[in-house]
Amino acid sequence: MGHVLDIVALRSLVAVADCGGFHRAATTLLVSQSAVSQHVRRLEKVIGRPIVERHGRGATFTPDGQALLAEARRILGAHDDALRRLVGADRPTVTVGTTEHAADLILPAVTAALPGHQVRFRIDRTRRLDEAVDRGVLDLAVHLAEASNATGEPVGSLPLLWYAAPGWQPPAGRGWPVVAIEEPCVLRRLALAALHARGLDPYVVCDSGYAAGVLDAVRSGLGVALMAATASTPDGVEARRDLPPVEAAELLLRARNGADPGVAIAVAAEIRSVLEVQQPGQLVA
C-alpha cells in the first residue's frame, strides 16, 4: 500500500492551525493533547519531513507544513461535502463559534446539547464571530457580552480568576506586570482597571493573540493574567486570590437568521446548566 493521508490526522492538523496550538486543538476536537501530537507525527512520517515546530503550547508550521495544511483543507472540504450529501439528512450539521475565553466550558456543553447533530466548531475573536453569524457562516456563536454591540440571549456568566506562576511575586519598584490577549480584549481591560483601582500600577508586559500564549507567558513568570476560571487550574500556574476580585463576565448566545430555534434553545439550556456550577468558590485553585 502507498502513502495514505489519514482524515483524522488531517483534521487535527487543521485544528492546530485554526486554534493556535496543540492544547486548543485538543479542546476543540474533544480529544487528548497527546492524540493530536500523535496525529501530527503520523503525517510527518507519511511525508518524511517536519511539518510543525512546537513552542510551548503554540505551534509554527514549516514550509512543508504550510503546503500540507493547504492540501488538508481541500481534502477535508471534499470529504465533509461528501458526508453531507450521503448522510447529512440523518445528522444535520450545526456550526458553532466561541471565543477562547469560554471554549473549555462551551465546547463540551454544545456537544452534549446536540447528540443528534454533527457539530463543527470555530474559535475566534468576538468581532469575527459576529461577522460570521451575520453572514450566515455560523449557526450559533457564544461570546462575552461586553465585547460586542450585537444583541443576543444571555446564557450565564463566566467566572474570572487571576493566575500566576507558583510563588511568583512582582518585581520591586516596577508595578504589576500583566499578561493579556492583544487589544481589543474585555479581560485585558478588566484586569488593568481592577489593578489600577487597587493602586498596584499595572502595565502590560506581554500580549498574545491566543489564550494559550498568555498561559505560556504566565508559566514563565512574566506576570499575572486575568482569565476564565474552569473546573481545574491549568498546568504550571496557580490562582492568585490576593488580587482584587473581578465580577464574572456575561456570556451571550447569538443565532443566525433562520437558524433552528430548537437548536438554540437546547444549547442555551446546556450552557446555563454548566455555568451555574462554575462558581468561584467551587473551583479548584
Side-chain angles (χ1 to χ4, degrees), residues 6 11 50 74 113 145 158 162 208 210-211 277:
D6 180 78
R11 203 173 296 282
R74 283 191 283 270
L158 190 66
W162 294 97
S208 170
Y210 301 95
V277 301

Side-chain angles (χ1 to χ4, degrees), residues 95-103 105-107 109-110 121-127 129-130 133 138-145 147-148 152-158 249-256 263-264 267-272 275:
T95 306
V96 181
T98 183
T99 59
E100 269 197 296
H101 302 302
L105 295 174
I106 300 308
L107 302 188
V110 172
F121 292 102
R122 173 177 171 181
I123 298 176
D124 211 333
R125 305 296 294 271
T126 295
R127 175 180 57 81
L129 293 178
D130 275 338
V133 171
L138 290 178
D139 296 302
L140 303 172
V142 183
H143 54 65
L144 300 180
S148 173
E153 180 182 357
V155 290
S157 296
L158 190 66
E250 184 180 6
L251 290 176
L252 291 183
L253 172 69
R254 289 195 64 207
R256 65 169 174 80
V263 168
V267 170
E270 187 66 28
I271 293 174
R272 288 192 185 99
L275 291 175

Side-chain angles (χ1 to χ4, degrees), residues 9-220:
L10 291 175
R11 203 173 296 282
S12 288
L13 184 73
V14 170
V16 170
D18 291 346
C19 301
F22 285 71
H23 174 68
R24 285 297 178 192
T27 301
T28 301
L29 296 171
L30 301 179
V31 299
S32 68
Q33 187 170 331
S34 63
V36 175
S37 298
Q38 290 171 8
H39 294 163
V40 172
R41 286 197 296 270
R42 187 185 308 164
L43 294 173
E44 290 178 330
K45 184 176 181 180
V46 169
I47 69 170
R49 294 181 297 279
I51 57 178
V52 176
E53 297 175 350
R54 298 182 63 165
H55 304 283
R57 290 197 176 184
T60 301
F61 282 76
T62 66
D64 289 314
Q66 292 285 357
L68 179 58
L69 180 62
E71 297 293 345
R73 294 189 189 280
R74 283 191 283 270
I75 292 169
L76 290 174
H79 174 272
D80 293 347
D81 286 343
L83 276 183
R84 280 190 288 271
R85 289 191 297 270
L86 294 169
V87 301
D90 295 328
R91 293 194 68 206
T93 298
V94 175
T95 306
V96 181
T98 183
T99 59
E100 269 197 296
H101 302 302
D104 287 344
L105 295 174
I106 300 308
L107 302 188
V110 172
T111 302
L114 302 173
H117 292 72
Q118 179 182 348
V119 185
R120 301 179 66 182
F121 292 102
R122 173 177 171 181
I123 298 176
D124 211 333
R125 305 296 294 271
T126 295
R127 175 180 57 81
R128 290 192 285 266
L129 293 178
D130 275 338
E131 292 171 352
V133 171
D134 292 338
R135 297 196 313 270
V137 176
L138 290 178
D139 296 302
L140 303 172
V142 183
H143 54 65
L144 300 180
E146 285 191 50
S148 173
N149 293 323
T151 58
E153 180 182 357
V155 290
S157 296
L158 190 66
L160 306 175
L161 281 177
W162 294 97
Y163 293 101
W168 180 89
Q169 293 298 325
R174 293 177 53 196
W176 278 76
V178 174
V179 182
I181 288 181
E182 62 190 10
E183 292 281 19
C185 177
V186 170
L187 268 59
R188 178 189 181 116
R189 179 180 60 77
L190 293 175
L192 295 176
L195 294 176
H196 269 302
R198 181 67 69 87
L200 295 177
D201 190 23
Y203 63 94
V204 176
V205 67
C206 174
D207 56 17
S208 170
Y210 301 95
V214 171
L215 277 172
D216 285 337
V218 170
R219 288 189 190 97
S220 71

